[in-house]
């Protein structure tokens, strides 16, 4: 009970709710049920507190056609923007084992590229502006850092 109360009081302090869905834990054919059971309820809770709600889909292995249906459902039916789709990548836990972010250890993997795109989308979603990269890999993760910094410091 205490956790729920703590969580609800946190909702009074924030402006954004980022819901991260993991497809790895739910087969694509049962994903719609998971959306109905979890995503719609979480979105409704955020809206109750007047939060701007966005979605990230994590650990994606599914075929593009299947994923397009999921994204369309989230955006058209649930009415929440999908801000990023992060590919399943075995390099993520490997980088973690080294104590290094995947963006630093494996900057050219699909997961790293997806994270950079997510960072760009977060900046646009939160601040309404596009971030212009100074170099492709020289400042890996700069977009994510800028977005998180802005959220933490309420820029």
């Amino acid at each position: 009970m205490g956790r729920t109360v703590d969580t609800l009081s946190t909702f009074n302090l924030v402006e954004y709710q980022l819901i991260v869905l993991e497809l790895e834990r739910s087969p694509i054919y049962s994903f719609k049920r998971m959306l109905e059971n979890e995503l719609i309820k979480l979105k409704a809770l955020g809206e109750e507190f007047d939060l701007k709600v966005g979605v990230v889909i994590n650990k994606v292995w599914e075929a593009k056609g299947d994923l397009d249906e999921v994204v369309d459902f989230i955006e058209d039916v649930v009415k929440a923007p999908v801000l990023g789709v992060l590919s399943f990548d075995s390099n993520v836990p490997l980088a973690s084992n080294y104590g290094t972010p995947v963006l630093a250890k494996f900057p050219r993997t699909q997961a790293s590229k997806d994270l950079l795109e997510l960072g760009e989308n977060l900046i646009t979603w939160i601040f309404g502006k596009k971030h212009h990269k100074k170099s492709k890999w020289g400042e890996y993760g700069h977009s994510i850092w800028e977005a998180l910094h802005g959220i933490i410091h309420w820029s």
Side-chain angles (χ1 to χ4, degrees), residues 21 23 31 35 39 43 54-57 67-82:
L21 302 174
L23 289 185
F31 193 69
L35 290 175
L39 176 61
K43 182 177 182 276
V55 176
V56 174
I57 303 174
L67 188 59
D68 287 344
E69 289 179 32
V70 171
V71 170
D72 289 346
F73 180 84
I74 293 170
E75 291 186 338
D76 298 339
V77 176
V78 180
K79 302 286 188 213
V82 175

Side-chain angles (χ1 to χ4, degrees), residues 23-138:
L23 289 185
E24 175 189 52
R25 297 185 335 198
S26 178
I28 200 76
Y29 59 84
S30 66
F31 193 69
K32 187 173 179 183
R33 182 175 304 171
M34 185 185 83
L35 290 175
E36 292 168 351
N37 291 336
E38 296 179 28
L39 176 61
I40 293 172
K41 289 176 186 173
L42 287 170
K43 182 177 182 276
L45 180 62
E47 288 175 340
E48 186 175 322
F49 286 88
D50 218 17
L51 303 180
K52 190 172 179 183
V53 179
V55 176
V56 174
I57 303 174
N58 193 23
K59 298 182 181 178
V60 174
W61 309 41
E62 280 70 21
K64 178 132 175 62
D66 292 334
L67 188 59
D68 287 344
E69 289 179 32
V70 171
V71 170
D72 289 346
F73 180 84
I74 293 170
E75 291 186 338
D76 298 339
V77 176
V78 180
K79 302 286 188 213
V82 175
L83 301 169
V85 176
L86 305 176
S87 302
F88 179 86
D89 189 336
S90 60
N91 288 310
V92 173
L94 182 58
S96 181
N97 287 341
Y98 283 100
T100 307
V102 71
L103 285 163
K105 186 74 176 165
F106 304 106
R108 290 180 175 82
T109 64
Q110 188 59 50
S112 291
K113 293 174 187 176
D114 294 344
L115 283 167
L116 288 170
E117 184 176 340
L118 172 61
E120 296 294 325
N121 293 342
L122 282 170
I123 289 170
T124 302
W125 183 60
I126 293 169
F127 303 111
K129 66 178 182 174
K130 294 269 185 196
H131 172 73
H132 299 287
K133 298 179 196 174
K134 294 177 183 163
S135 69
K136 186 169 183 176
W137 300 108

